[in-house]
Amino acid sequence: MSAETPVAPGQFTLRRQQFRAWRGTRPFWAGLFVLISGFPIAYFPYAHLQVGHLTLAMATTAGAGSLIIGVLLGVLGVSLWFQKHVRTFAGVAAILLGLVSIPVANLGGFLIGFLFALIGGAMAVSWAPGAPSAPETATAGPAAGGAPEGVYSTDPAPADEVTENPYSTGPALTKDPSPAVGDEAAGEPNDLSGTSPGNGANGRHSAG
């Protein structure tokens, strides 16, 4: 195989390009932020921290509410990935759930889940699909005199050839126009005067 032979892209490169194309058609980062916000909100009320020989339980009476808020935020994050037409509703709902988590779920998961929900919801509301790019069409630039190129032929006509103007409303010109009335060809007799082409004399005078 020569050095100029193109190498086929690997499976990883192909999957990465497909994922990038899929990610660009939906509010991916907004859904990711909302999905992440549900974990600290649902986790901290059920977590137990070990401080030396002491076990610190952060569970509160609203532990069920924290779990519900965390699950709903996870569902909204996944919905933003696969149902992008509900982005406005999902973004507003994520912001409201983040605000509710402050008094219910240990200050919104120690403000971690609250901030992720707030940022992800704002990103989901502000996201808009991109307009498809229009195909570029080649247009002829203006020629000299303001007329677009291609209207008139750029090849000059020969000097001895009379061309016909396609935009004229008059009679068409011929290549060899007929001579005028006074311009008669040499050697043609004049029927009206009777002049002989040989001697140029008038016929009546030569007869007498």
Side-chain angles (χ1 to χ4, degrees):
M1 184 175 63
S2 62
E4 298 180 357
T5 304
V7 180
Q11 190 72 14
F12 175 76
T13 304
L14 180 61
R15 295 299 180 185
R16 184 170 58 85
Q17 292 176 354
Q18 291 177 352
F19 173 73
R20 181 181 297 177
W22 175 84
R23 185 186 64 189
T25 58
R26 62 203 67 245
F28 174 79
W29 295 110
L32 182 63
F33 275 53
V34 174
L35 181 62
I36 292 176
S37 68
F39 289 104
I41 291 176
Y43 171 75
F44 285 121
Y46 296 94
H48 294 80
L49 297 179
Q50 292 292 132
V51 181
H53 297 285
L54 298 177
T55 300
L56 182 61
M58 293 181 291
T60 60
T61 55
S66 302
L67 181 62
I68 293 174
I69 293 175
V71 171
L72 288 177
L73 286 172
V75 171
L76 291 175
V78 176
S79 299
L80 287 172
W81 286 349
F82 298 100
Q83 300 292 332
K84 59 183 179 181
H85 59 275
V86 299
R87 60 185 182 276
T88 303
F89 166 76
V92 173
I95 294 174
L96 293 178
L97 289 174
L99 293 173
V100 172
S101 68
I102 292 179
V104 172
N106 294 330
L107 295 177
F110 296 113
L111 297 180
I112 299 175
F114 164 73
L115 292 177
F116 273 98
L118 198 65
I119 296 173
M123 292 173 63
V125 173
S126 61
W127 185 86
S133 58
E136 297 181 0
T137 56
T139 56
E149 295 181 358
V151 175
Y152 300 103
S153 176
T154 57
D155 298 334
D160 57 346
E161 181 178 355
V162 179
T163 58
E164 179 182 353
N165 186 3
Y167 301 96
S168 175
T169 56
L173 299 177
T174 59
K175 182 175 180 181
D176 297 326
S178 60
V181 175
D183 301 336
E184 296 179 356
E188 240 179 65
N190 191 345
D191 296 338
L192 297 179
S193 62
T195 303
S196 174
N199 51 16
N202 193 303
R204 292 192 298 268
H205 292 287
S206 61

